[in-house]
Amino acid sequence: MSLATGTVAERVATLRERVDEVTVASGREPGSVAILAVTKTQPRDAVLAALDAGVRDVGENYVVEARRKYDHLPPCTTHFVGHVQTNKAKAIAGLFDRSEERRVGKECRSR
């Protein structure tokens, strides 16, 4: 199945199979590589469908979008993806579970 067609659940299953094939081929355990579903431009219903299909990590690069989409999600890990603007660092630290930007860590420590 193409990742461009099918339901969200079908596309997640196809992606998981492909990732697991490559993971096993590299000598690692299947399921040991996480899939980060970036939700940019996707509606909340699509995020919920991905979580229902087994995705456990979701990412967004817009704080305003994440506030709308990520409110009261089922258990998952939320990631901020992208450059952190200084004026949004505190909001990112309070809204997302993870980010690679150093400024977020600094804001978290100062709370």
Side-chain angles (χ1 to χ4, degrees), residues 52-68:
D52 285 345
V55 169
R56 292 292 157 245
D57 292 84
V58 294
E60 180 62 60
N61 66 331
Y62 293 116
V63 173
V64 174
E65 290 271 327
R67 281 187 181 131
R68 287 195 301 255

Side-chain angles (χ1 to χ4, degrees), residues 15-98:
L15 181 60
R16 179 82 262 163
E17 288 172 13
R18 290 181 185 178
V19 169
D20 284 347
E21 286 173 9
V22 174
T23 302
V24 170
S26 69
R28 295 176 65 180
E29 292 292 319
S32 65
V33 173
I35 295 172
L36 173 59
V38 177
T39 62
K40 181 177 180 179
T41 73
Q42 297 299 311
R44 179 176 166 82
D45 289 344
V47 176
L48 294 172
L51 293 171
D52 285 345
V55 169
R56 292 292 157 245
D57 292 84
V58 294
E60 180 62 60
N61 66 331
Y62 293 116
V63 173
V64 174
E65 290 271 327
R67 281 187 181 131
R68 287 195 301 255
K69 290 184 216 178
Y70 292 1
D71 189 37
H72 301 300
L73 285 180
C76 65
T77 302
T78 56
H79 299 254
F80 179 77
V81 180
H83 177 71
V84 176
Q85 297 172 341
T86 303
N87 64 331
K88 297 196 175 160
K90 285 185 181 180
I92 290 167
L95 184 59
F96 295 91
D97 297 314
R98 298 194 179 170

